Amino acid sequence: MASKQMLLLAVAVAFLPALDAATEHWVGDDKGWTLGFNYTAWAQTKQFKVGDTLVFKYNKSSHTVVEVSGADFAACSTPEAAKVLATGRDQVALDSPGRRWFVCSIGAHCLNGMKVRIDVLAADDNSPVAPPPSGPASNVQARLALAVLAVAAVLVL
């Protein structure tokens, strides 16, 4: 019996880091990067950390993703030298703590709310409120960890 308990403990300890692993945040969740969505409210429900990734999914013939400065974000302007992402499924690595700003550069989309501010925390920042991760990858990760723990529990019994 003691060896089964040790096995359960070993499995649980092995999967704990996976629960705190980097998260793929699908901007706008199932709505994606589009007009008519409140990205400010969306971002306020998330916790972004160094090592996480933003995924912008959108219709590439209708939208873009451009990282801009805070001033350009407020003015909804896109500098000429800015890198424009336009694949329809762009990934942006959050590789340092701080504030980042993204807008759509098509027409008046930014002025109509198609912009998001992301506050990136250090990887080891354990803020008191940690909202659930977003996106398909984090859902699969959580289900996998629960499945492994359930199997380990059955083995103990």
Side-chain angles (χ1 to χ4, degrees):
M1 183 67 164
S3 64
K4 287 183 180 180
Q5 289 173 337
M6 289 302 292
L7 174 64
L8 178 61
L9 180 61
V11 169
V13 168
F15 277 89
L16 283 177
L19 296 176
D20 193 36
T23 301
E24 223 179 46
H25 298 278
W26 287 63
V27 177
D29 294 326
D30 61 335
K31 300 291 183 196
W33 186 236
T34 189
L35 288 166
F37 187 86
N38 186 337
Y39 293 101
T40 300
W42 174 84
Q44 290 172 346
T45 67
K46 310 297 178 203
Q47 186 175 66
F48 305 98
K49 289 191 171 190
V50 171
D52 289 354
T53 303
L54 296 177
V55 180
F56 292 86
K57 188 169 188 233
Y58 55 93
N59 180 335
K60 67 182 181 179
S61 65
S62 301
H63 304 297
T64 63
V65 177
V66 183
E67 186 166 6
V68 296
S69 69
D72 288 329
F73 180 84
C76 277
S77 63
T78 305
E80 284 188 36
K83 179 180 178 186
V84 177
L85 305 176
T87 68
R89 191 178 185 281
D90 301 309
Q91 295 188 8
V92 177
L94 301 178
D95 51 10
S96 61
R99 190 164 282 168
R100 296 178 71 176
W101 301 269
F102 300 90
V103 301
C104 177
S105 63
I106 303 294
H109 291 189
C110 179
L111 291 170
N112 289 316
M114 203 167 168
K115 61 184 188 173
V116 65
R117 183 187 89 191
I118 304 294
D119 294 317
V120 184
L121 301 173
D124 60 354
D125 187 340
N126 293 316
S127 295
V129 177
S134 63
S138 59
N139 294 338
V140 170
Q141 183 181 47
R143 285 194 301 262
L144 175 63
L146 289 175
V148 169
L149 289 175
V151 169
V154 168
L155 291 175
V156 169
L157 301 175

